[in-house]
Amino acid sequence: MNKKFNIATLMLVTSLAFTGCANDTNKEADKANETAVEQKANETVDQADKTEEKTEESKEGEVKEDKAAEENKEDKAEDEKSDEEKKENTETSETPAVEGNIVLHRAYPDEASRSFTTVVVATSGDKIVDAFIDEYQYFGDDEGYQGVPNSDKEFGDGAKEGRILASKIDNKEPYSETMKQAGGEVTLMDNYNAVTNFVKGKTIAELEEVINDDDEKIMDAISGATFKSTPNLLRYIVDAAKDNSFIIGGQAENPENIELRYVLGAPHGDKSFANAVVAVEDEKIIAASIDEYQYIEEGVTSQGEGSDFANDYKDSKTVLSSKLENDDLYSKLMAEKAGSTVTIKENFEAIEKFVAGKTIDEIKETIAGAKEGEKVEAVSGATLVDTAGYLQLIVDAFENPINK
């Protein structure tokens, strides 16, 4: 019986032991399952976090892209506004702010050459109604050429020894003879007039088509012109007609009937010379354009160092200069030496506006009433004590159709 008890006891203990092992195994399995679920849950959370981060990054990216797009839109709008402003500024600069149906454009070719060239073009709307050209060039003082005014005074000191500055128009006969000896077939004035007659009545656009051709075709187009410089002279005129740097307006009864006249003079001392180009209709001055030339140290000019023209300067740094082109520099000298508060350009413009529409007798009457060494009260805006001298220059131009 004891033996049976022991066997039964042993079986019970073994059974309990297996039950305990089974429980431990189940617990470990459960723990493993829990760990697996936990890891999977964590992975899901991590994935969700990553997805959220990605979504957030995507949203931030979209915000950045939207912001960038908005900035680009603003930049583009600013650029368009800037372009529009530039366009408006360009249109303003291209539209002469002058009154009248005649506009005189004065210009100086922007290229180095053997001559210092003056060009004045009269336009009415988009058409050229007349044009004027003269070229100043150095010659030997023993060649029989008449120098520009004040060549025998202090102004002449700016040229190299033995050289003299002369106007081709003022010396049209000796210059034409020189050209004839060199094989020229026409006179200086024949050539100038062939060019100016060619441009009359044509629009700037029509003339631009001509100057875009080669020189040979240009020569063929301009009847009566044989000088090699003819294509350049035509280009100078077209460029001047588009240049509004130095302009003045006037009112004509019939713009196509105006005539340009020209003269040289010395209205202001002996260190310079001047020229006047006037648009004349009947007995009236419709418009006038004046400028003055002086040797100026470090002056602005296309005929500076490197040009053939500059070879005849006494001092390569002291160059023949237009006072209009050197308005800032010359006006500063006027302010320092004479206390002037009005620029040379403003003075010239005041004189030009005063004579517009007046007869020669009316201008002469003003000159007669002027007091030497004083400004002319009748000429509003002009403070130069030599104002009467410039008025006389304009009268002389009216009475001297020198370009014919």
Side-chain angles (χ1 to χ4, degrees):
M1 178 149 178
N2 287 337
K3 188 174 180 181
K4 287 181 182 179
F5 175 80
N6 287 339
I7 291 171
T9 301
L10 180 61
M11 287 175 68
L12 178 61
V13 171
T14 301
S15 174
L16 289 172
F18 278 122
T19 301
C21 288
N23 288 338
D24 288 342
T25 300
N26 289 337
K27 285 179 183 178
E28 286 175 5
D30 291 340
K31 188 174 181 181
N33 288 335
E34 286 173 6
T35 301
V37 170
E38 224 172 68
Q39 286 176 346
K40 189 171 182 181
N42 287 340
E43 284 174 3
T44 303
V45 171
D46 288 343
Q47 184 66 33
D49 289 341
K50 287 179 182 178
T51 302
E52 285 179 7
E53 286 174 3
K54 189 172 181 181
T55 303
E56 194 65 27
E57 286 174 359
S58 177
K59 286 181 180 178
E60 289 177 1
E62 288 175 3
V63 171
K64 287 180 181 178
E65 285 177 4
D66 290 341
K67 189 175 180 181
E70 190 65 26
E71 288 175 352
N72 287 338
K73 188 177 180 181
E74 290 175 1
D75 289 342
K76 187 176 180 182
E78 282 297 317
D79 288 342
E80 288 175 353
K81 185 180 178 182
S82 178
D83 289 340
E84 191 64 27
E85 287 174 351
K86 287 178 183 177
K87 184 179 178 182
E88 288 176 1
N89 291 337
T90 301
E91 288 174 349
T92 300
S93 67
E94 290 178 352
T95 305
V98 294
E99 296 180 0
N101 56 11
I102 289 289
V103 178
L104 297 187
H105 305 249
R106 177 181 285 266
Y108 299 95
D110 188 22
E111 64 179 27
S113 70
R114 293 176 58 193
S115 302
F116 187 107
T117 305
T118 296
V119 183
V120 176
V121 179
T123 61
S124 183
D126 63 347
K127 283 186 178 180
I128 292 176
V129 293
D130 205 353
F132 164 81
I133 305 168
D134 194 11
E135 298 168 277
Y136 307 126
Q137 190 170 317
Y138 288 104
F139 300 92
D141 58 9
D142 59 351
E143 293 183 54
Y145 286 87
Q146 177 187 339
V148 297
N150 283 331
S151 287
D152 57 345
K153 296 185 174 66
E154 190 171 346
F155 173 79
D157 294 341
K160 190 182 290 185
E161 186 71 27
R163 305 295 284 173
I164 189 170
L165 184 68
S167 152
K168 287 185 180 180
I169 284 183
D170 256 358
N171 293 272
K172 53 190 175 185
E173 277 131 15
Y175 188 81
S176 296
E177 183 60 30
T178 300
M179 295 303 294
K180 184 178 179 181
Q181 292 173 6
E185 300 174 9
V186 299
T187 68
L188 173 76
M189 294 314 300
D190 286 340
N191 204 85
Y192 278 172
N193 289 334
V195 178
T196 56
N197 288 335
F198 177 77
V199 302
K200 287 181 184 179
K202 290 184 176 64
T203 65
I204 295 171
E206 288 172 334
L207 291 169
E208 284 181 321
E209 289 182 10
V210 178
I211 63 175
N212 285 334
D213 279 334
D214 58 43
D215 287 1
E216 187 176 347
K217 288 184 179 178
I218 293 174
M219 293 293 290
D220 290 341
I222 304 177
S223 177
T226 63
F227 286 11
K228 187 178 178 180
S229 61
T230 296
N232 281 339
L233 296 179
L234 181 60
R235 293 184 183 104
Y236 295 163
I237 289 173
V238 176
D239 288 344
K242 298 186 292 182
D243 191 336
N244 296 321
S245 301
F246 312 117
I247 57 174
I248 193 72
Q251 185 68 31
E253 290 291 331
N254 186 344
E256 294 184 0
N257 285 346
I258 64 105
E259 173 194 345
L260 293 184
R261 298 182 186 177
Y262 164 76
V263 78
L264 298 180
H268 175 63
D270 59 10
K271 294 181 180 179
S272 60
F273 78 96
N275 71 35
V277 177
V278 297
V280 177
E281 184 182 36
D282 298 328
E283 292 302 310
K284 282 187 178 181
I285 290 179
I286 303 305
S289 174
I290 57 178
D291 197 4
E292 201 163 18
Y293 311 93
Q294 188 168 324
Y295 289 102
I296 299 176
E297 186 175 358
E298 302 293 347
V300 174
T301 179
S302 297
Q303 308 312 324
E305 286 186 282
S307 70
D308 290 339
F309 186 84
N311 292 334
D312 287 309
Y313 290 144
K314 184 177 182 179
D315 178 355
S316 62
K317 299 292 183 184
T318 304
V319 299
L320 183 66
S321 306
S322 149
K323 288 185 179 179
L324 284 177
E325 285 196 309
N326 288 269
D327 181 45
D328 290 342
L329 177 59
Y330 190 80
S331 298
K332 183 179 179 182
L333 294 174
M334 286 172 59
E336 291 172 352
K337 294 182 178 180
S340 176
T341 57
V342 181
T343 69
I344 193 68
K345 184 173 184 284
E346 290 168 339
N347 268 287
F348 287 172
E349 286 174 347
I351 295 167
E352 292 165 349
K353 288 176 181 177
F354 174 77
V355 302
K358 287 185 170 58
T359 65
I360 289 302
D361 288 341
E362 288 173 328
I363 299 171
K364 285 181 177 179
E365 187 178 340
T366 301
I367 296 171
K371 295 179 181 179
E372 188 176 352
E374 295 183 14
K375 68 179 184 178
V376 179
E377 294 295 339
V379 185
S380 177
T383 59
L384 300 173
V385 295
D386 290 316
T387 294
Y390 295 104
L391 291 175
Q392 185 61 52
L393 183 74
I394 290 169
V395 169
D396 293 343
F398 177 92
E399 297 177 339
N400 185 38
I402 194 172
N403 59 326
K404 298 300 178 186

